[in-house]
Amino acid sequence: MPVILHPEHVVKAYRDERPSITRLILEARWAHHRLTYAREHDPDSTTTLALRRLQLLHAGALCDVLALRTRDPDFYEAARDHGELLRKVDGLALDDHPRNGLNHLRAQYARLHHHSHGDSCRTAHVTDDSLPPRYPINRPGPWLVHQMLDSYAWAALSRSPRFPAVDVADEQRRHLITRGLLLDWATSTATTDNAAAAAAATAGHALRTLDSRPALNDLRARAYLLDAFRDLDDQEEGDPHPHDCAGGCAGTGEVLTVLTWDCHGDGIYTAVHQEPILCLGAPTGHAPDCATCEGHGFTYTTGYRELCLDGRISDGEPVAASVAPQGA
C-alpha cells in the first residue's frame, strides 16, 4: 500500500516523524493546559518557563503544519511568531535572519523527536502561486487555534470550585466546535487525510449529541460544525464595531495587545507575547477594585509581568467590580 505524503512532509523537520493533525492538536492542547494550570495554581514555580517553551513549540508546530496544508498566510505568520518567541526563550538573537524564527521552531520540533534533520530546515518547498482556497469562517486561523487550546484548558481547570464563574459545558462545546473546524480545514486541501476527516466528523457527531440533535451522515455532521460556529460567533459579536472604532479594532471586535513582558530589572521590561483580546469599543482603563491585580493593571511572576484582563473598563463607563477570568 503506497504511503500518502501530505504537504508538511516535504519539510525535513516533519518528514521522518510524519505527524498527524490529530496528534499535533493533542500535543498542543496538553502543553497549553499544563502552562495554564501552572500560571493559575503556582505562577512562581520554576517549571513555568519550561512549560511556556513547550507550549510555544507545540502550538507553533500545529500552526506551521496548518499553514503548509492550507497555505493560509495567517497560519504562516503565527508559526513564525511562535518560533521567534521560542528563540527568545532559548536566549537567541531575533534579528539576525528573517526566517530564523520558523527555522528554529522546526529544528526544535525535530530534536524533540530525536531526528537529525532539525539543523537543516531550509529545504525548497513546492510552491503554488494560486490563491489558497478560502475557508468559510470570518475569523483568522490562529484565533481559532487559540480558542481551541484555551477552551480545552478552561474546561479542565474549571471542574474545580476555584473558578465558579466559568461554564464548563460551554467551554466543552466551544472546544468541540473549534477542534472540529481545524480538523475539517486541514482536510480541505489534503483530501487524502482520511484520519483527520473522520476525526472532524466525530467532533460533529459529538456536538449534535451534546445539542440533543438527531444523528446525520459524516459530511452533514462536519457541516453542522460550521453552522454551530457561526451561531456562536454571532452571539458573541453582538453589534459589529465600526471600521473607525475608538478601541482601535478596525471593526474586527479584537485588538492585538501585548500580554507578557520579560523583566530585565530596574523597571525595564521587553514585550515577549501578544495576542488578540476583546475590544471594548473605547480606550480602556482598569478598575481600582480589581481582585486580581488590586487596580495596578498588571500581575507579576518570576521574571515576567502579565497584563491583567480581569478589571478592564471602557473610558466613560462607571467603575465596576472585577469580571470573570479571561478564557471564561
Side-chain angles (χ1 to χ4, degrees), residues 120-193:
S120 179
C121 299
R122 297 190 177 105
T123 304
H125 299 169
V126 177
T127 58
D128 186 347
D129 295 331
S130 64
L131 291 174
R134 180 166 176 79
Y135 195 68
I137 63 171
N138 192 29
R139 291 284 191 172
W143 179 91
L144 200 62
V145 170
H146 178 75
Q147 289 292 307
M148 184 271 295
L149 299 177
D150 215 39
S151 58
Y152 176 81
W154 282 103
L157 288 175
S158 302
R159 292 189 178 96
S160 76
R162 181 172 177 148
F163 306 102
V166 181
D167 188 333
V168 176
D170 181 67
E171 295 295 337
Q172 289 173 332
R173 186 174 188 272
R174 186 191 305 272
H175 179 69
L176 267 178
I177 294 171
T178 51
R179 181 170 62 88
L181 288 179
L182 285 171
L183 289 162
D184 188 64
W185 197 350
T187 63
S188 62
T189 54
T191 54
T192 54
D193 190 351

Side-chain angles (χ1 to χ4, degrees), residues 69-309:
R69 286 279 188 102
T70 65
R71 294 181 285 126
D72 180 78
D74 290 329
F75 277 134
Y76 172 80
E77 292 298 327
R80 191 180 67 177
D81 289 347
H82 278 75
E84 289 174 351
L85 290 173
L86 190 63
R87 285 179 61 84
K88 172 70 175 179
V89 169
D90 289 345
L92 302 175
L94 299 179
D95 56 358
D96 54 347
H97 194 287
R99 285 179 53 84
N100 268 350
L102 192 55
N103 288 336
H104 186 66
L105 172 71
R106 292 173 176 175
Q108 295 309 305
Y109 183 88
R111 289 178 183 175
L112 180 68
H113 294 93
H114 309 291
H115 296 310
S116 59
H117 293 308
D119 292 324
S120 179
C121 299
R122 297 190 177 105
T123 304
H125 299 169
V126 177
T127 58
D128 186 347
D129 295 331
S130 64
L131 291 174
R134 180 166 176 79
Y135 195 68
I137 63 171
N138 192 29
R139 291 284 191 172
W143 179 91
L144 200 62
V145 170
H146 178 75
Q147 289 292 307
M148 184 271 295
L149 299 177
D150 215 39
S151 58
Y152 176 81
W154 282 103
L157 288 175
S158 302
R159 292 189 178 96
S160 76
R162 181 172 177 148
F163 306 102
V166 181
D167 188 333
V168 176
D170 181 67
E171 295 295 337
Q172 289 173 332
R173 186 174 188 272
R174 186 191 305 272
H175 179 69
L176 267 178
I177 294 171
T178 51
R179 181 170 62 88
L181 288 179
L182 285 171
L183 289 162
D184 188 64
W185 197 350
T187 63
S188 62
T189 54
T191 54
T192 54
D193 190 351
N194 297 325
T202 299
H205 292 309
L207 181 63
R208 288 190 67 82
T209 300
L210 188 66
D211 292 346
S212 301
R213 299 291 185 89
L216 298 174
N217 63 38
D218 286 357
L219 286 176
R220 294 182 66 188
R222 287 167 63 178
Y224 182 70
L225 292 166
L226 279 170
D227 293 337
F229 176 78
R230 290 183 181 119
D231 290 343
L232 182 66
D233 219 26
D234 289 344
Q235 292 170 13
E236 292 184 347
E237 281 192 355
D239 295 331
H241 290 220
H243 288 290
D244 58 349
C245 174
C249 71
T252 65
E254 293 179 335
V255 287
L256 192 64
T257 303
V258 175
L259 297 183
T260 306
W261 293 261
D262 190 6
C263 178
H264 298 278
D266 297 327
I268 300 173
Y269 294 91
T270 303
V272 295
H273 176 63
Q274 63 180 358
E275 63 185 52
I277 64 171
L278 181 68
C279 175
L280 299 184
T284 58
H286 208 83
D289 61 346
C290 175
T292 302
C293 69
E294 299 181 349
H296 299 298
F298 302 97
T299 59
Y300 297 85
T301 58
T302 304
Y304 291 97
R305 183 177 76 178
E306 307 281 345
L307 182 67
C308 176
L309 301 178

